[in-house]
Every structure is written in structure tokens, then in C-alpha cells.
Amino acid sequence: MQIVNSQISIEKTSHSRIKEQDINNTPFGKVFSDHMLVATYANNSWQEVKITPYGNISIRPSLSVLHYGQAVFEGLKAYKNYQGKPVLFRLEANYKRINNSAFRLCMPSIPKEIFIDGLKELIRLDTDWIPTKSDSALYIRPIYFATDESVGLKPANSYKFIILSSPTGTFYSAPVKLIVTDKYVRASEGGTGAAKCAGNYAGSFLADKEAKEQGYDNVLWLDGKEKKYIEECGTMNVAFVINDVLITPKLTGSILGGITRDSALTLFRDMGVKVEERLISIDEVAKAYEAGNISEAFGMGTAATIAHISVINYQGKDMILPPVDERKYASQVLQKLEDIKTGKVTDPYGWICQL
Ligand SMILES: *Cc1c(COP(=O)(O)O)cnc(C)c1O
């Protein structure tokens, strides 16, 4: 991959908006920091990388992503550690994943100089936007999409890669209530479920909406073939503690390999917990519930980190799981992750990257 111009040009904003914001108390994803990074791919190479004030981009109605959805994205967080220094969590893993997603959608890979170096440069410029309150963070959203001005049905020749960021106050996640659906599927083997592609989310909205209409927060997804094996919950990976064994669906090809999932599994194993990555059917969970053997269930993802699951509705019946304060596994891992991110304990995994 040739980078015609690997230099990043920087245009700083002349009036920072930060004073107008209470960055420790903004709702998720509504307020954006001062700068963004914009990289352009055209004529078989990356052309231009610039950091500019956050603002409009101009598009025409023929923009190919609007027609065929050739778009992928990422989500990661920057934190302030206990010394007030900015850190990023598992940036390399996001870098790998966006290029795997891009490969699945026939998009050129993004060079490290743009994703890693560019992202660091951008966040360094906006470090004041990283909230300091515990549990709060600067949510970083890289997006990558097709920009041909053409409705021709083929992978595009030109693309934009943009990084924006958004401070998020404490992401308190109340325990979530899930409903199993066999009416909709999120993804099937061979499809795009393992890629972080924008269309996967659009495809899940209706199921999510109907779950909410029935009084639940989100859907517990089953596999697309047999509608039997558990895949994910909402837009998070999912795990269960049954008889003190941590069980999570194995990555079959239709499940998104979450970085929070990977981090949590690593910590559980190192804490001596028995971890099983395998197929787990909804009937197995229902049986374990009947027998009183299921002590925890939780979702894992960057936005909430860990979201306890309080209720799972299956075939019209609510399985009500034990109260959160009786759960030891998920809470312990959540604490450990926070301690690593804030530098309270040393990071033996190389997950933390200083800015
Ligand atoms: C992003 C995402 C996750 C969680 O991944 P993290 O890297 O932990 O944030 C899980 N499921 C889906 C469908 C996702 O898009």
C-alpha cells in the first residue's frame, strides 16, 4: 500500500467549544469534540490525511455508500488514568478489526500511519475533551465509507476514512431485560455478522423496536440456521455463568468478535475461572435456569463495558436472574478492567497505550 502523502496536515480550530460543554455529564454520542481526522482514498492510494475542526462534509446524492451501504466503523475509548494522563485501550485490536471488516466489504485496507498514528494525533489535540470523572471516557468513532459518485453496482474506487470523538459521562447501565427472538436474525454464517458493518445495525432496529414495545430493552439473538444457539444480545457479546463456569458463544463467523469480550475472557482465565467458548443453546440456558444453576448473565461491549442481564424472556416466560449485588464474576472483571484502564494496577497485557 502506497501512501502518497503520509504527512498529516493539521488545522486547529480557532474557537474551542469545550467551555460550553460539561463533558463529564453529556449523554452518549450527542456532543462532538473540536477536531476530526479525514483521510481520502482515490486512484488506488491514500491521498490526503488532515485533521480539521469538526464540521460538515459535503456529499452528492450519488454518493455510493448511500445506495449500497459499503461502510464499516469502529468504537473505542480514551480515558484519563489516575494521574490525569490520557490513555487508549486496545487500539491495535480496533485497527486489526477495521481492516478485517473492510476486507469483507471489498474496501482497501487502512494503513497504520493513518489509523493508529492519525488517531493518536487527533486525540492528543482533543485531550481536554476526555472526561475525568470515573467511568466516563471519550468515545472515539472511526468510520469508513465508499464515496464514488456513481450508482454503478460494484465496490467503489474512492473512500473516506473519518475519525470523530464524543465525550460520554458515566455510562450507567441499568441491568437489561432481553427477549429471545426467532422472528428476526442478526446475522448468518457466511454473511456480514463478523464485520462491523453499518448495515448490520440498520437490520437490527426493527427487532429492537419490537422488543421495546413488549417492555424489554433488547433482543437475545439466536443463530440464523437452527434458531437454537445464542449469538449476541443487542449489540453486545453475551456470557452466562452456569455452575461457576463462564460460558460464551464461540465465534462461529456470524458473531462480532468484541474486544471487550476478548479482554473479559482473558481476565476470567487469569483469575482462574473456567471459561468455555462453545455453542450454547437457549434450551440449555432455560434448563440451567429451571435447575437454579445460572447465577449470572451479562453483555460485553465498549459502550457499557459490562451490562448485567436481569431478565430473559423465552417462549413467553420471563427467566428472572439473581440480583446484581449477588453476582461476583462480572463485577470483578469490570473492576479489574477499570483498574487497568486507570492505571491503578499494572497492565500485563499491553492493552494500554499512552498518548
Ligand atoms: C461492536 C460490537 C460488539 C462489541 O465489540 P467491542 O469491541 O467489545 O466494543 C458486539 N457486537 C456487535 C454486533 C458489535 O457491533
Side-chain angles (χ1 to χ4, degrees):
M1 171 103 13
Q2 198 198 353
I3 307 167
V4 172
N5 179 3
S6 67
Q7 286 209 315
I8 303 172
S9 68
I10 300 179
E11 182 202 337
K12 285 191 194 172
T13 181
S14 53
H15 51 279
S16 170
R17 290 173 283 107
I18 193 152
K19 293 207 177 65
E20 304 151 26
Q21 299 295 338
D22 178 5
I23 58 163
N24 283 304
N25 291 300
T26 53
F28 181 77
K30 293 250 168 90
V31 170
F32 298 94
S33 52
D34 282 330
H35 299 92
M36 62 181 181
L37 176 141
V38 181
T40 302
Y41 182 93
N43 301 322
N44 300 312
S45 61
W46 288 93
Q47 303 283 332
E48 186 189 29
V49 188
K50 52 186 188 182
I51 292 174
T52 63
Y54 175 78
N56 292 346
I57 54 169
S58 139
I59 60 167
R60 294 193 177 180
S62 57
L63 194 81
S64 51
V65 68
L66 301 180
H67 300 264
Y68 306 123
Q70 203 186 2
V72 300
F73 68 97
E74 271 303 326
L76 68 156
K77 283 174 169 175
Y79 301 85
K80 289 255 172 86
N81 70 12
Y82 80 103
Q83 298 166 307
K85 296 220 175 77
V87 297
L88 292 162
F89 185 70
R90 302 204 66 178
L91 176 59
E92 294 274 345
N94 293 94
Y95 173 61
K96 269 194 209 130
R97 189 169 65 187
I98 199 167
N99 279 339
N100 288 340
S101 301
F103 178 80
R104 180 63 182 79
L105 269 75
C106 278
M107 301 163 77
S109 58
I110 302 166
K112 240 184 169 141
E113 289 80 357
I114 298 177
F115 190 96
I116 304 250
D117 302 346
L119 189 148
K120 285 186 186 168
E121 196 65 44
L122 175 73
I123 303 306
R124 265 185 221 122
L125 207 57
D126 281 338
T127 43
D128 289 349
W129 287 85
I130 306 175
T132 46
K133 221 166 76 175
S134 77
D135 295 345
S136 57
L138 183 65
Y139 182 79
I140 304 166
R141 168 56 63 85
I143 54 172
Y144 183 28
F145 55 93
T147 56
D148 279 7
E149 285 174 7
S150 161
V151 298
L153 187 53
K154 62 177 187 54
N157 292 317
S158 53
Y159 297 90
K160 283 244 187 281
F161 170 65
I162 298 179
I163 310 175
L164 52 155
S165 70
S166 172
T168 60
T170 307
F171 195 100
Y172 171 72
S173 46
V176 291
K177 295 169 71 179
L178 302 176
I179 180 165
V180 176
T181 179
D182 57 9
K183 184 173 170 193
Y184 302 107
V185 294
R186 193 195 75 88
S188 298
E189 250 174 277
T192 55
K196 214 165 171 74
C197 82
N200 289 346
Y201 280 68
S204 72
F205 286 163
L206 185 59
D208 183 62
K209 179 174 169 263
E210 290 183 8
K212 288 190 168 74
E213 284 165 1
Q214 293 172 81
Y216 296 85
D217 298 299
N218 225 315
V219 160
L220 187 63
W221 298 104
L222 302 181
D223 77 280
K225 203 171 174 183
E226 297 184 64
K227 311 253 179 85
K228 182 174 166 189
Y229 298 105
I230 294 167
E231 299 227 313
E232 300 200 43
C233 64
T235 56
M236 288 185 284
N237 296 116
V238 64
F240 301 87
V241 179
I242 299 175
N243 289 328
D244 289 312
V245 178
L246 188 116
I247 305 165
T248 190
K250 70 171 179 183
L251 302 178
T252 51
S254 50
I255 294 174
L256 193 289
I259 295 163
T260 314
R261 172 188 183 276
D262 183 75
S263 309
L265 296 187
T266 301
L267 293 175
F268 278 124
R269 288 190 171 112
D270 288 357
M271 281 157 52
V273 174
K274 186 161 182 232
V275 173
E276 292 179 358
E277 287 178 75
R278 61 167 170 84
L279 296 178
I280 174 166
S281 69
I282 183 63
D283 288 324
E284 178 181 347
V285 167
K287 281 207 185 86
Y289 176 74
E290 294 297 326
N293 292 334
I294 170 162
S295 55
E296 297 187 29
F298 55 91
M300 298 167 280
T302 294
T305 310
I306 300 276
H308 296 287
I309 296 166
S310 56
V311 174
I312 299 172
N313 182 284
Y314 177 48
Q315 294 178 335
K317 273 193 233 136
D318 275 349
M319 296 187 255
I320 299 166
L321 302 180
V324 167
D325 55 15
E326 287 174 17
R327 304 182 185 193
K328 47 181 201 241
Y329 290 94
S331 313
Q332 239 178 313
V333 145
L334 182 61
Q335 188 59 48
K336 195 115 195 198
L337 273 172
E338 289 310 312
D339 288 349
I340 289 175
K341 288 169 184 170
T342 53
K344 279 186 198 135
V345 300
T346 50
D347 161 28
Y349 308 106
W351 288 344
I352 295 299
C353 149
Q354 312 269 347
L355 268 181

